[in-house]
Amino acid sequence: NAVVSHTAKRQAFLLNDVLLITSIQTAGGLVKSEKLNLHQVFYLNQISISDLAVTSKDEDVAAFEIRTDERPFQFIAESESDKKIWLEELEAAIFCILASNGNKQIGWQHRIVRSSIFSAALRDD
């Protein structure tokens, strides 16, 4: 579990089925071009999300986590209210994709949106 810390500001774009993490190309602190660097593509049907401020009181109130099969990714939004909006929008987009899957098990949504009492009971964490 290697921890990689990026302090550079990133931009996120939520599309119907993916979340794109990008940054603006810069050189010496100045914008180099109008192009974006693509750093990560998250397929919404393959991730789970959690509010880190709920699971750990030591975390930044604007911190949240996106988990993939490979590893967790931690993000810090501009503010706590921005984080809440991001988590609500991610949850809605993920549920929209997964709701069309006819193979749902009881409690399937608690495997996706973590850090609630329901997901803790279901996941035994």
Side-chain angles (χ1 to χ4, degrees), residues 75-91:
F75 297 90
I76 299 176
E78 293 283 329
S79 67
E80 187 176 8
S81 61
D82 282 351
K83 174 193 71 174
K84 184 178 178 188
I85 292 168
W86 270 107
L87 288 176
E88 288 171 356
E89 293 298 325
L90 283 166
E91 179 180 328

Side-chain angles (χ1 to χ4, degrees), residues 42-50 64-69 71-73 87 90 94 109-114 123:
F42 293 108
Y43 293 92
L44 299 182
N45 63 346
Q46 298 174 2
I47 64 172
S48 64
I49 57 175
S50 107
F64 65 97
E65 183 174 75
I66 295 176
R67 287 185 167 271
T68 66
D69 289 338
R71 63 177 239 177
F73 295 83
L87 288 176
L90 283 166
I94 292 168
Q109 66 273 29
H110 303 304
R111 296 184 193 284
I112 306 305
V113 178
R114 301 173 72 173
R123 299 177 65 83

Side-chain angles (χ1 to χ4, degrees), residues 19-84:
L19 175 67
L20 305 175
I21 307 299
T22 67
S23 67
I24 298 173
Q25 290 183 1
T26 59
L30 300 173
V31 174
K32 184 176 170 182
S33 74
E34 294 181 9
K35 295 181 181 179
L36 296 173
N37 292 321
L38 179 63
H39 296 282
Q40 189 72 40
V41 176
F42 293 108
Y43 293 92
L44 299 182
N45 63 346
Q46 298 174 2
I47 64 172
S48 64
I49 57 175
S50 107
D51 183 346
L52 293 177
V54 171
T55 57
S56 173
K57 298 302 176 198
D58 297 331
E59 286 291 340
D60 187 312
V61 295
F64 65 97
E65 183 174 75
I66 295 176
R67 287 185 167 271
T68 66
D69 289 338
E70 292 82 35
R71 63 177 239 177
F73 295 83
Q74 295 182 354
F75 297 90
I76 299 176
E78 293 283 329
S79 67
E80 187 176 8
S81 61
D82 282 351
K83 174 193 71 174
K84 184 178 178 188

